[in-house]
Amino acid sequence: MTKNILYFLLIFIIGFSTMTRSKDMTARIKIDTDRKIGKIDKNLYGNFAEHLGRCIYGGIYDPGSKLSDENGFRKDVLKAAKGLNVTILRYPGGNFVSDYHWLDGIGPKDQRPTRLDLAWKTLEPNTFGTDEFIAYCRKLGTEPYLAVNMGTGTLDEAKNWVEYCNVKEGPYYAELRKKNGHPEPYNVKYWSLGNEMDGFWQMGHKDAVDYGKFALEAAKLMKWTSPDIKLIAAGSSNFYGDADPHKWNRIVLNYLKDYIDYISLHLYVGNRDNDYYAFMASPLEIEERTSIVEGQIEEALSKTRRKTPIYVAWDEYNVWYRARGAGFNTGRNALEEKYNLEDALVIAGFLNAFIRNAHIIKMANMAQLVNVIAPIFTSKTDMFRQTIYYSLALYANNSFGTALDAFVDSPTYDTKKRKQVPYLDVSVAYDDGTVVINVVNRHLDQSISTRLICQQGKFDGEFSVYEVNGPDIKTENTFGSEPVRTKEKPAIKVNGKSFTYEFPPHSLTVIKGKIK
Ligand code: AHR
């Protein structure tokens, strides 16, 4: 008898708690095509290729491999990279660039010097350089973005590299490019003034004033050589010890405000403590740091007569915490992070943050393209797509046009650092009648039944649904097995102001259709 009562009591408690929990797990997303944030720049879907580990050598470039073409480019990697719709590719570093002398990487390959790469403690053969990089960009159909050496480099080197790439004919370096078999200028539009120059780990690291002065002189010479180029200043990346990243950005913006078009920021996040919910919220730092820099840009612009804007370029972002430390950081297999489902959701969180700030963030580059903290992973004979590949590919192939400021009413959770983090992380893109709704359900084990409401006009017709998910948040992909990938779900037929969708736990869902 007592046993029976206890049994019923238990059933009641379980039933009641499930009911109350799932009762809370509802949300609303209101979409209003009049609430525009800004144009989504195609360069939000950029990537990065550094001379580091097996990103270039053994990743992009593997001459002699049966998998490579006549240029030595791995065909399987190129095909996978095309699936990411890489709109802009940053090169050659990263930390590597702060001791890179571009003249080492041009001309006959057998005459190019091998150098010590002090950034990643290895040998740099220089068999891949400017001409090979541009050829790769043309094959991939992407915009090249070069970083100049502001560490051990000189003003002359920076200016001459622009001349080599962008001046048609006449001066020495333009003629040198022609002599090397490239009669037409490369017209490289995007150039960054060094990399992470605030970091003590950078070769030739400077304080903000020294960097500001040096970068200003480089910027002048580079723009005078090729007036249409866009310049990106190295913003803050040093959050260690008593470094003051905001002060760095303020000083640098003040020096460079008349010459730069972007200031670059970097963010890597990780899940060291295995705190899933805090990790899921970590891309929110993008929004926090962007809004601080946005104010600083406004302040700097208020002191100049220029009428054109300065934007934010998050030109390095990713999950990176496992393949760190001395054992991982050096040599040919450096930074070979293996990604799981939770990482793929965090990448979707980054992309949502970029889209929600599309008015000011006009470039973002996942670091990096192949093998090194990368969506594409190779062996000598094979390759696979890491979990993060699928999130990036979904956004890069669908979310264009104008970012809309959706109203999201979602249940929330608290972490040690942040209060009221919504379980649903949402961004919306709208392009010529097509709406793309990107939703991460951060909840670990509950789906969220969500009413999607159209404020202007109505949802009209068939809506495609794509989902990135997997059996478990720790599931990884590997050679021959990609359990975490995009699956197309049954389309939804909608004709009206609203519909309901159940977003499954630990998932990214992209819903795409027409508004009339
Ligand atoms: O992407 C790996 C490294 O991270 C880059 O070389 C550097 O810029 C950053 O610290």
Side-chain angles (χ1 to χ4, degrees), residues 48 50 52 94-95 120 195-196 268 316 320 335 367-368 373:
F48 175 33
E50 178 168 2
L52 195 182
N95 297 340
W120 304 108
N195 172 72
E196 297 189 350
Y268 293 100
E316 285 186 32
W320 175 25
L335 281 68
Q368 305 189 1
I373 43 175

Side-chain angles (χ1 to χ4, degrees), residues 48 50-52 90 92-97 119-120 195-196 201-202 237 240 266 268 315-318 320 324 329 335 366-368 372-373:
F48 175 33
E50 178 168 2
H51 285 249
L52 195 182
R90 181 172 180 248
N95 297 340
F96 172 81
V97 80
W120 304 108
N195 172 72
E196 297 189 350
W201 56 89
Q202 209 63 218
S237 52
Y240 297 98
H266 293 175
Y268 293 100
D315 63 9
E316 285 186 32
Y317 74 92
N318 208 338
W320 175 25
R324 272 194 188 257
N329 267 356
L335 281 68
M366 177 179 271
Q368 305 189 1
V372 170
I373 43 175

